[in-house]
Amino acid sequence: DIVMSQSPSSLAVSAGEKVTMSCKSSQSLLNSRTRKNYLAWYQQKPGQSPKLLIYWASTRESGVPDRFTGSGSGTDFTLTISSVQAEDLAVYYCKQSYNLTWTFGGGTKLEIK
Amino acid sequence: QVQLQQSGPELVKPGASVKISCKASGYAFSSSWMNWVKQRPGQGLEWIGRIYPGDGDTNYNGKFKGKATLTADKSSSTAYMQLSSLTSVDSAVYFCARSGGDWGQGTTLTVSS
C-alpha cells in the first residue's frame, strides 16, 4: 500500500505571508506511460466537503485562485500559497491515485494569526 | 453542473446495517468511478472503495472488505454504500466523491444505542 505523509501537521501564519506544505509518498506516483504524477491537493474548510485544488501534482482546478501552486514529482510534492488570505483557513490534504486506490495524507491544518 | 446529493443523517443501533445513497446529476453517471470516503470527527480522510456504475466493477480498501458494500443503480443515477455490523467506530461522516473532483455534502452516521 502507498503511504502518504504530510508536514507540518499544522501551521499558523499571518495574512499575506507565503506558505509551503509538504507531502511525501512511500513510492513514486509518476506513471511512466502517461508521464503524469497522480497526486492531488484538497482543501477542507470547517464543516464542508473537501474541495479539489490541484491535480496531476501541478494542474490547478478551474476556478482555483492562482495563489495556490502545486509542484514536485515522484515521491516529493509541495503545495504553496503565495499570499495567504483569511479565507484559506482550512485543512489541506494530499491524495494519491496512482494505483486502483486512493490514499490521503494526514493533513496540514492552516491557521491564520 | 455536477451535483452529488447524499441522503440525510442516520442514527442506528449497534449491530445494525445502514444504506447511504448518493444521487448524481450533471454528468454521465455510468462512465465515471464513484468513490466513498470516511471521516471520523476531527480526523483525516480514509478511502473506503469505488464502483464503476457502467458494469458494477468495484475496488475496496482491504480494511473495509466485509464492512462496506458498494452498489449503483444506473436507472436512477444513484450510488449506494451499505455498512454492516455497525459499531461506534463506524460513527463518522461519509462522503461520495466522483473521480474527477466532485464531492457530495456528506452523510453523518451515528451508531448509538
Side-chain angles (χ1 to χ4, degrees), chain A residues 1 42 44 47-52 61 93 95 99-106, chain B residues 35 37 39 43-47 50 59 95 97-101 103-106:
Chain A
D1 292 1
Y42 288 83
Q44 187 178 31
Q48 296 185 17
S49 305
K51 172 188 174 184
L52 178 64
E61 175 74 336
Y93 294 96
K95 181 205 81 181
N99 50 20
L100 296 178
T101 66
W102 287 2
T103 315
F104 294 91
Chain B
N35 298 266
V37 175
Q39 187 170 39
Q43 303 300 308
L45 303 167
E46 193 170 22
W47 182 77
R50 66 177 191 170
N59 301 114
F95 296 98
R98 189 175 73 104
S99 289
W103 289 58
Q105 82 276 21

Side-chain angles (χ1 to χ4, degrees), chain A residues 37-105:
Chain A
N37 287 280
Y38 286 82
L39 186 284
W41 289 96
Y42 288 83
Q43 175 193 65
Q44 187 178 31
K45 296 183 177 180
Q48 296 185 17
S49 305
K51 172 188 174 184
L52 178 64
L53 297 176
I54 304 284
Y55 58 95
W56 293 338
S58 60
T59 301
R60 201 177 293 117
E61 175 74 336
S62 176
V64 172
D66 59 9
R67 64 179 181 273
F68 292 92
T69 301
S71 61
S73 183
T75 62
D76 291 279
F77 302 91
T78 300
L79 177 67
T80 301
I81 309 173
S82 60
S83 178
V84 168
Q85 306 299 304
E87 69 214 48
D88 298 335
L89 166 72
V91 179
Y92 293 84
Y93 294 96
C94 61
K95 181 205 81 181
Q96 72 82 20
S97 57
Y98 178 81
N99 50 20
L100 296 178
T101 66
W102 287 2
T103 315
F104 294 91

